[in-house]
Amino acid sequence: MGLRIAFLASEAEVAQEALDKLARRYGHVPPEEADIIVALGGDGFMLSTLHTMVDNPAPVYGMNRGTVGFLMNEYREDGLIARLGDAVQEIINPLSMTAMDRRGEVHKALAINEVSLLRAGPQAARLRVSVDGRVRMEELVCDGALVSTPAGSTAYNYSAHGPILPIGADVLALTAIAAFRPRRWRGALLPSNAMVRFDVLEAEKRPVMADADSISVADIDWVEIRINPQIRHKILFDPGHGLEERLISEQFT
C-alpha cells in the first residue's frame, strides 16, 4: 500500500488550487485515515491544522501557500513522495492556558506559539507576575506580556524584542510588551516546566484580554500558563531546513 496523504488547504485561492493539483496527482484520503497530513497555506493555517488535528497521530508536513511560512516547507508539486520520505520530524509541546474572566468563568486553550496578555482599553495594564507560586514582580505596567515556546519565539515574541530560543532549549520566554514600569524591562527566561501566573490589577479600570494562538478571552482576572507535555505535535521539515536551522538563520537576517 502506498503512502496515504490527507491534503488540507487554507481558503486562499492559491492554496485551493494547490490542493486540487496535489490531490489529483498523489491521491487523497480523509485525515483520520492518513499516514501524513499535508497542510497548504501559511503559518496561521499550520497552527490551525495542528490544533484541529491534536488527536490525530499523523505528522503534518506544511507547504507554503501563504505569506511568511516559517513553519512551512517550500511549495513544489514534483517529488512529494520522496520529500515526505526524507523529511525530518520535530516534536513541539504546546502551552496550556487557563484564564478566569471577571464573571468567574474559566477558559482553557492551547497555544503552540505563545500566550499573550494585551491591554483592552486606553490605559496600560497592571499585572502581578508569579512563577511557580512565588510572586516575582508585584507590578508590571505595560501594554501587555507574553509567554512563548521556542517554536514561537520568532513570532510575536521576537517582534516584542524577546529572545529567539533554540528548539532544544528547555526554556520559555516571558517577554514584556512596551513596559512602562519597570522601565524597558524585557522579561525573563524560565525553565520549560515553570508555571507562570499573571494577575490583573485594577481589572475594571484597566481591562486586559488574553490570547492563545488567536483564541481570545476578554476581560480577564488572572491567567496561568504552563507547557503541556502530554500533547506532542509532530511537524515534518525538509532535511537542512528544520526549525533549529530556521531559528539560527533568523538571527542573522
Side-chain angles (χ1 to χ4, degrees):
M1 180 181 292
L3 191 66
R4 297 173 299 178
I5 305 172
F7 291 99
L8 303 177
S10 72
E11 295 181 357
E13 182 177 352
V14 66
Q16 290 294 319
E17 290 176 354
L19 170 64
D20 291 340
K21 292 178 181 178
L22 293 171
R24 286 198 302 268
R25 183 167 180 175
Y26 296 102
H28 170 74
V29 300
E32 60 272 16
E33 299 176 12
D35 300 310
I36 293 178
I37 294 168
V38 174
L40 304 165
D43 286 339
F45 184 70
M46 171 61 89
L47 293 177
S48 174
T49 299
L50 292 173
H51 283 296
T52 302
M53 299 294 147
V54 66
D55 295 322
N56 189 320
V60 180
Y61 179 90
M63 285 204 288
N64 190 18
R65 295 283 81 188
T67 306
V68 179
F70 185 80
L71 296 173
M72 315 300 278
N73 299 284
E74 180 184 356
Y75 177 77
R76 294 199 304 271
E77 293 177 24
D78 296 334
L80 178 59
I81 300 301
R83 291 176 73 187
L84 295 177
D86 294 337
V88 178
Q89 181 173 278
E90 303 271 11
I91 300 293
I92 295 176
N93 301 114
L95 294 168
S96 177
M97 177 187 81
T98 302
M100 190 176 81
D101 62 30
R102 292 184 57 239
R103 299 181 301 277
E105 184 176 352
V106 175
H107 307 261
K108 294 181 180 291
L110 296 173
I112 296 162
N113 273 357
E114 78 279 320
V115 174
S116 56
L117 279 72
L118 301 166
R119 73 177 192 181
Q123 292 186 297
R126 291 183 64 225
L127 307 174
R128 181 168 59 240
V129 184
S130 302
V131 179
D132 293 331
R134 179 178 174 183
V135 176
R136 291 290 184 175
M137 186 171 289
E138 287 287 353
E139 181 185 75
L140 171 62
V141 181
C142 55
D143 280 354
L146 62 86
V147 176
S148 170
T149 66
S153 63
T154 60
Y156 192 7
N157 172 71
Y158 193 38
S159 296
H161 306 291
I164 291 180
L165 305 177
I167 281 296
D170 289 328
V171 295
L172 300 173
L174 193 169
T175 301
I177 302 169
F180 176 72
R181 190 168 56 243
R183 180 75 74 177
R184 298 188 182 90
W185 185 72
R186 291 293 181 86
L189 294 177
L190 303 173
S192 61
N193 62 353
M195 193 278 283
V196 181
R197 177 180 171 114
F198 295 101
D199 288 281
V200 181
L201 309 178
E202 295 184 292
E204 183 176 358
K205 179 181 178 183
R206 301 167 183 264
V208 172
M209 62 171 287
D211 187 280
D213 281 358
S214 299
I215 299 170
S216 299
V217 181
D219 207 15
I220 61 169
D221 187 59
W222 56 261
V223 176
E224 291 182 346
I225 306 159
R226 66 178 74 201
I227 281 283
N228 188 329
Q230 274 69 51
I231 298 178
R232 293 162 52 87
H233 294 292
K234 293 177 283 188
I235 308 179
L236 299 175
F237 292 97
D238 292 331
H241 297 279
L243 279 179
E244 184 172 346
E245 170 60 27
R246 293 169 190 229
L247 290 168
I248 293 172
S249 297
E250 189 72 17
Q251 297 175 81
F252 292 91
T253 57

